[in-house]
Amino acid sequence: VRKPRNVGRAAIPRRDVPPNFGVPPPEPADPPPEVADPPPEPSKTPPEPADPPPGPGNTPSRPAGTAKVGKAVGKAVRLERAHTELIGSLEDDRPVFVDPSGLRRRRLRWLAYVLALLLVIALALVWWSQLGGTSSKPPNVNQCTATAQAGCSR
Amino acid sequence: MTVYHSAQPSEPEMPSGQIPAIRRRRSVVRVLLVVILIALLLNVLLVKAYTSQGHGSDGLKDSDATDDSVPAVVRDGGPVLDPHDGRPHSYRMPARTVALTFDDGPDPTWTPKILAVLRKYHVQATFFMIGSEVARHPGLARQVAGDGHEIGAHTFTHPELADISGWRRDLEYLQTQQALVYATGKSTSLLRPPYSSLPDAIDRDGWKTIQDASRRGYVTVLNDLDSRDWARPGVANIVKGATPEGTAGAIVLMHDAGGDRAETVASLDRLIPQLKQRGYQFKTVSAALGGAVPANDPVRPSDRWGGRSLVWTVQVADATWDILWLILIVVGALTLARTVLMFFVALGHARRRRKRSWGPPVTGPVSIIVPAYNEAETISAAVNSLATSAHHPVEVIVVDDASSDGTADIVEALHRANVRVVRVPPGGKAKALNAGTALSRFDLVVMVDADTVVEPDSIHRLVQPFADPSVGAVAGNVKVGNRRTLIGRWQHIEYVIGFNLDRRMYDAFGCIPTIPGALGAFRREALRDVGGLSTETLAEDTDLTMAIHRAGWRVVFQDSARARTEAPSTVSQLWAQRYRWSYGTMQAMWKHRHALVERGPSGRFGRRGLPFIAAFTVVLPLLAPFMDVVAAYSAIFLNRWETLLGWLAILLVQTITAILAFRLDHEPLRPLWALPLQQFTYRQVMYLVLLQSTGTALTGRLLHWQKIRRTGEVTMTTG
């Protein structure tokens, strides 16, 4: 929502913006940027390094003058009065995924420990059963019950 | 593109020596977990390789080298050998008796068919099974035993027993026995060594292994008649080969696995009635010998545990391998489909762009916001290139996020009339950009990283799409400026292919996931609609882009608006950057997941774009390590040349895609020589980063950020 007092009267700042600010660039119809002459360099305006750059804390010097401009041509305000607006918060939002309590992390860690332990035990059992076994034929259960055969007590 | 570090005074950097003991211990545990996981996978793959050794057919070895160490009584004797007590014993089938024997099973296709034929004629036979196959199909072995047939051992992996060492031979016997005991509840005393044939073909080594087996309680069963059915000579020939002369008894060798056994099944249907007519009886080996040798004996239930663990191991290994193959096929198909799609869509996109303009030229004023944190090396090049843009007028707002290296002073010393410096308290890139947007005055807002140098007409080209009132944001074409090192060249290739070609495809589908922080333009209205940038994710650019999509704005890619950015020049910097990107992208997708079920433009983006983005930026790259595992396994255990060929085919497709991307981008093709090398480090780094960020997402840990070290190498003179 623009304030009506800015319409129709433009305060021309002295240095802060290029002199043709607010009006269409000098080239009338779409110039192909590659072949066009370099645009007038903003830095060619007489630099006055002694002046601090405009900022929230600095009050720039008074306007050099005023010019009457039509409604449709353009409008400009002094830099510090420029129409700006805060969009988006400057507060910290809670980051996605982050669990400040650490509960999820603790649970996952324990789950990982338990799973890893189980897997390692399973792996060890498999290796033990393969390398620790005897290559002889297992004893016949009937013979084992009848006589105390070698290997039955395994 | 900046890995933007928000100054966090509360989190002082700690040298690793000062990491508290508990954190050090946890990182050791984490490494241990990874080692365990890798060890398990290796173990499973080795089991798979061990149990899947290919083998030739039996009865191939026809050694006529007679050896004095083999007693004559064995060579001229029967096919059943039991040289116990140091004396050779051999047995022969009685007259008019045939023992049918089937090797190499069980097989899920052919064993049931053979069982059906045998059942039809009420005939009992002997099956010499391979232990690893029994472990795969214990049910089949149980069925064979249940039908009253006899089961013998044919070793676990079908090696030539005489050629392997003693401990491996022991393992072969033990594992076969374990598998049979688990499947049938009975052990076996019968052994048929692989590649064995007639008794007179036994050589010295063969005789030694037979004696050795006998000491372990096994009776070796050779054969009298080889049907040679494995060669598929035709039913008539099989029957002829399996028919004994006169009234002689015989052990007949056949196979119920190892290929197409239809001829074997058909020949049984002829052989059995023919021999029965001649008065022959069909018996199992031990039954034919009238109990002279033992066969299948029941064992204690406790003896089944070894077999159980073995069977489970083999089955887990098989299942793992099947899953790996499935992943390989799915990933391969998706990647290929994506490449082909990308190829044609990008071509079409480029053609459309050449033909169509956006509308009347956009010449309105543009605000350029440059967030900077300790960018002293690069800031002046970046700001100069922006302030002297061909687009006119522009205002450049450098938002200094509490730099400590005088970044703001450097900008102020440039004395450019259309450049302003805004100093904000430390808060991160998103907040700096929000502050810059708040202080900017024009309706078109361009955001550029402080390490990025734009071409003079880039800003003008970048804002041209805003002639279309539905366009809310425009992505620029970001290129790597420092390409002299290998890592820079790799990133250059990746930027051109991945970001440029990908972005064209996403653009064609209307779901560009990210407007790069290095160069992007926004309509103020669109920024206002989504409430600016948020600090909820680490990839604020992706988050913002998705929000703009959901607000109903079009997001387009303007490939002619080029900028050069300084890419990370070391692996650790690259790691940090990609960690932020992949983690941030996941965060952004999760944050916008509700778009999947919403109505209107948000739902359109959610259903069309999000699954696409999730599949190609997270899921596929996450599965990439499995491709490497399968490739490594195939190269070691399977056909080396086929693996190489497959790899070369993938490389060819990639190269063609790369050439297309480079051509579309008017880039010289020279850096492409580094493409094959990319497969060996770069790719791995990329998916390991993704794995790590997935872990972080799951555990919900908070991240701390490192800023990449600048070399100030990027200038506009290159290229």
Side-chain angles (χ1 to χ4, degrees):
Chain A
V1 183
R2 293 205 164 84
K3 293 165 190 166
R5 69 184 156 89
N6 291 334
V7 178
R9 251 175 93 80
I12 300 174
R14 282 168 82 180
R15 285 174 301 274
D16 310 320
V17 285
N20 62 342
F21 156 69
V23 295
E27 302 91 318
D30 178 34
E34 308 95 322
V35 293
D37 291 337
E41 271 213 25
S43 57
K44 280 178 190 160
T45 51
E48 295 224 5
D51 258 306
N58 296 326
T59 314
S61 48
R62 281 176 34 220
T66 55
K68 280 204 169 172
V69 284
K71 250 187 180 178
V73 177
K75 50 234 171 189
V77 288
R78 289 217 307 260
L79 190 57
E80 70 276 13
R81 292 230 182 130
H83 176 83
T84 61
E85 61 184 323
L86 192 62
I87 57 172
S89 73
L90 294 178
E91 296 299 304
D92 265 322
D93 309 304
R94 208 191 122 200
V96 177
F97 293 144
V98 171
D99 171 32
S101 68
L103 190 68
R104 203 165 84 220
R105 195 169 169 213
R106 266 199 304 281
R107 279 186 188 158
L108 269 175
R109 192 188 308 128
W110 279 110
L111 189 72
Y113 288 171
V114 169
L115 271 180
L117 194 69
L118 285 178
L119 286 172
V120 166
I121 289 174
L123 192 67
L125 280 178
V126 165
W127 277 97
W128 176 74
S129 75
Q130 294 311 299
L131 298 180
T134 166
S135 55
S136 299
K137 188 171 101 56
N140 187 331
V141 68
N142 301 327
Q143 288 170 8
C144 273
T145 45
T147 60
Q149 213 194 16
C152 286
S153 57
R154 185 164 61 94
Chain B
M1 294 189 188
T2 313
V3 174
Y4 196 95
H5 172 70
S6 66
Q8 300 253 349
S10 56
E11 289 280 346
E13 278 299 313
M14 269 185 296
S16 56
Q18 289 173 5
I19 295 177
I22 184 126
R23 265 173 67 186
R24 210 161 43 215
R25 204 170 63 226
R26 275 177 193 162
S27 70
V28 167
V29 168
R30 198 157 45 219
V31 169
L32 203 68
L33 285 180
V34 171
V35 167
I36 287 174
L37 214 68
I38 291 173
L40 277 169
L41 187 66
L42 267 181
N43 199 72
V44 161
L45 287 179
L46 284 177
V47 168
K48 175 68 192 172
Y50 175 58
T51 56
S52 306
Q53 300 169 37
H55 59 76
S57 293
D58 299 298
L60 280 180
K61 204 172 79 173
D62 275 321
S63 149
D64 49 9
T66 50
D67 199 298
D68 293 342
S69 67
V70 184
V73 62
V74 170
R75 264 187 283 126
D76 306 330
V80 181
L81 303 170
D82 184 16
H84 60 263
D85 319 329
R87 273 177 316 168
H89 295 262
S90 82
Y91 305 93
R92 207 182 276 283
M93 289 289 111
R96 292 187 197 281
T97 306
V98 161
L100 293 173
T101 61
F102 298 93
D103 281 12
D104 295 356
D107 180 277
T109 314
W110 300 108
T111 305
K113 290 193 170 129
I114 284 171
L115 284 180
V117 177
L118 298 178
R119 209 176 294 133
K120 186 163 107 191
Y121 296 106
H122 307 286
V123 162
Q124 313 280 280
T126 309
F127 288 79
F128 289 95
M129 295 185 173
I130 295 180
S132 56
E133 294 302 320
V134 176
R136 288 199 173 98
H137 316 288
L140 278 177
R142 206 169 297 136
Q143 203 183 333
V144 171
D147 275 11
H149 304 293
E150 214 161 79
I151 297 181
H154 196 42
T155 71
F156 196 69
T157 63
H158 208 279
E160 169 60 78
L161 283 177
D163 291 350
I164 59 176
S165 56
W167 69 269
R168 270 235 25 218
R169 215 154 44 219
D170 288 350
L171 206 59
E172 292 279 340
Y173 298 149
L174 167 72
Q175 289 173 330
T176 313
Q177 199 66 261
Q178 281 181 331
L180 280 174
V181 163
Y182 169 73
T184 64
K186 288 177 179 176
S187 67
T188 185
S189 309
L190 306 178
L191 170 73
R192 171 166 284 165
Y195 310 107
S196 64
S197 60
L198 310 179
D200 62 4
I202 299 171
D203 55 14
R204 186 173 53 190
D205 292 338
W207 177 238
K208 264 193 197 153
T209 52
I210 289 170
Q211 284 176 304
D212 177 60
S214 167
R215 274 194 292 278
R216 304 189 186 286
Y218 292 100
V219 174
T220 301
V221 180
L222 306 177
N223 65 73
D224 296 302
L225 292 173
D226 185 354
S227 70
R228 302 185 73 81
D229 62 336
W230 53 268
R232 274 175 264 166
V235 174
N237 283 329
I238 296 176
V239 172
K240 200 173 137 204
T243 306
E245 287 171 21
T247 59
I251 293 179
V252 175
L253 169 63
M254 297 180 125
H255 296 85
D256 66 334
D260 184 355
R261 293 287 167 258
E263 288 185 4
T264 309
V265 176
S267 60
L268 281 176
D269 237 341
R270 250 197 252 175
L271 180 72
I272 297 172
Q274 272 180 17
L275 287 179
K276 274 197 167 170
Q277 227 168 20
R278 280 168 56 186
Y280 269 88
Q281 281 184 306
F282 290 90
K283 286 186 173 171
T284 65
V285 171
S286 71
L289 296 178
V293 295
N296 296 137
D297 301 321
V299 296
R300 295 169 305 176
S302 62
D303 282 328
R304 293 179 68 171
W305 272 106
R308 192 167 285 136
S309 80
L310 180 71
V311 167
W312 285 355
T313 307
V314 171
Q315 290 187 352
V316 164
D318 277 4
T320 310
W321 183 246
D322 289 349
I323 292 171
L324 281 179
W325 259 108
L326 192 74
I327 289 174
L328 185 76
I329 288 167
V330 168
V331 169
L334 273 178
T335 310
L336 198 70
R338 170 178 184 249
T339 308
V340 171
L341 191 76
M342 197 158 75
F343 199 95
F344 290 107
V345 168
L347 268 179
H349 181 267
R351 197 176 308 127
R352 268 199 310 281
R353 276 296 151 80
R354 276 198 299 272
K355 272 188 197 160
R356 226 197 70 202
S357 81
W358 295 102
V362 176
T363 54
V366 171
S367 296
I368 302 174
I369 300 163
V370 185
Y373 170 72
N374 287 354
E375 303 276 4
E377 302 267 0
T378 55
I379 190 80
S380 50
V383 168
N384 277 329
S385 77
L386 291 167
T388 59
S389 245
H391 191 83
H392 198 77
V394 293
E395 66 164 348
V396 180
I397 301 170
V398 177
V399 186
D400 176 41
D401 191 17
S403 299
S404 55
D405 65 348
T407 302
D409 303 332
I410 292 172
V411 180
E412 277 165 1
L414 293 174
H415 297 302
R416 290 204 172 267
N418 58 348
V419 175
R420 274 195 287 157
V421 178
V422 178
R423 296 167 205 254
V424 295
K429 188 173 177 181
K431 279 199 250 177
L433 283 168
N434 277 341
T437 315
L439 293 168
S440 68
R441 288 170 296 169
F442 304 133
D443 280 339
L444 300 181
V445 177
V446 171
M447 297 179 185
V448 182
D449 276 348
D451 57 351
T452 304
V453 172
V454 298
E455 291 177 2
D457 55 354
S458 287
I459 301 296
H460 183 74
R461 289 167 181 269
L462 186 66
V463 297
Q464 289 316 300
F466 289 122
D468 180 342
S470 65
V471 171
V474 185
N477 191 351
V478 180
K479 298 186 162 294
V480 173
N482 46 337
R483 307 177 188 171
R484 276 179 307 187
T485 57
L486 188 61
I487 197 163
R489 205 167 283 131
W490 277 337
Q491 288 179 85
H492 170 52
I493 296 175
E494 195 199 4
Y495 273 51
V496 173
I497 302 176
F499 301 161
N500 180 356
L501 216 54
D502 271 12
R503 211 162 268 149
R504 277 182 200 273
M505 176 172 70
Y506 287 131
D507 192 6
F509 290 114
C511 58
I512 291 178
T514 307
I515 291 177
L519 183 62
F522 304 87
R523 228 183 253 283
R524 178 180 296 276
E525 218 180 320
L527 287 175
R528 193 189 298 135
D529 281 355
V530 301
L533 291 103
S534 93
T535 52
E536 282 169 88
T537 70
L538 284 175
E540 66 288 317
D541 41 7
T542 306
D543 181 17
L544 176 68
T545 313
M546 288 184 175
I548 289 174
H549 274 294
R550 291 179 69 190
W553 293 95
R554 265 181 77 198
V555 177
V556 298
F557 172 53
Q558 180 75 324
D559 62 296
S560 58
R562 282 182 285 266
R564 282 169 182 274
T565 193
E566 182 169 339
S569 52
T570 67
V571 174
S572 62
Q573 288 172 10
L574 182 68
W575 186 287
Q577 185 196 42
R578 297 311 164 95
Y579 192 21
R580 181 184 81 94
W581 285 2
S582 53
Y583 182 68
T585 306
M586 283 188 235
Q587 282 181 312
M589 280 192 291
W590 185 251
K591 180 184 166 186
H592 295 288
R593 66 188 182 280
H594 297 300
L596 278 170
V597 293
E598 280 171 1
R599 290 162 172 279
S602 174
R604 259 202 306 283
F605 170 72
R607 282 182 291 276
R608 199 198 296 172
L610 273 184
F612 208 59
I613 299 166
F616 289 127
T617 59
V618 178
V619 179
L620 275 189
L622 263 184
L623 295 177
F626 295 111
M627 306 271 280
D628 282 6
V629 169
V630 174
Y633 178 91
S634 322
I636 297 169
F637 296 113
L638 304 177
N639 196 322
R640 220 153 292 175
W641 292 110
E642 277 173 18
T643 311
L644 188 70
L645 221 63
W647 187 77
L648 284 177
I650 293 172
L651 195 65
L652 185 73
V653 171
Q654 270 185 340
T655 311
I656 294 172
T657 320
I659 291 174
L660 172 78
F662 274 67
R663 279 257 167 273
L664 286 180
D665 238 21
H666 310 293
E667 286 283 346
L669 295 179
R670 210 168 345 107
L672 277 183
W673 64 262
L675 190 66
L677 298 175
Q678 215 176 13
Q679 299 294 315
F680 295 112
T681 34
Y682 198 73
R683 230 168 62 83
Q684 284 75 8
V685 168
M686 293 299 121
Y687 64 62
L688 287 178
V689 165
L690 198 59
L691 276 176
Q692 198 196 358
S693 44
T694 310
T696 313
L698 288 177
T699 54
R701 202 154 50 88
L702 197 66
L703 292 177
H704 309 295
W705 284 106
Q706 294 284 314
K707 185 182 172 343
I708 72 171
R709 201 169 55 79
R710 296 282 161 211
T711 57
E713 206 184 315
V714 182
T715 57
M716 224 39 234
T717 50
T718 42

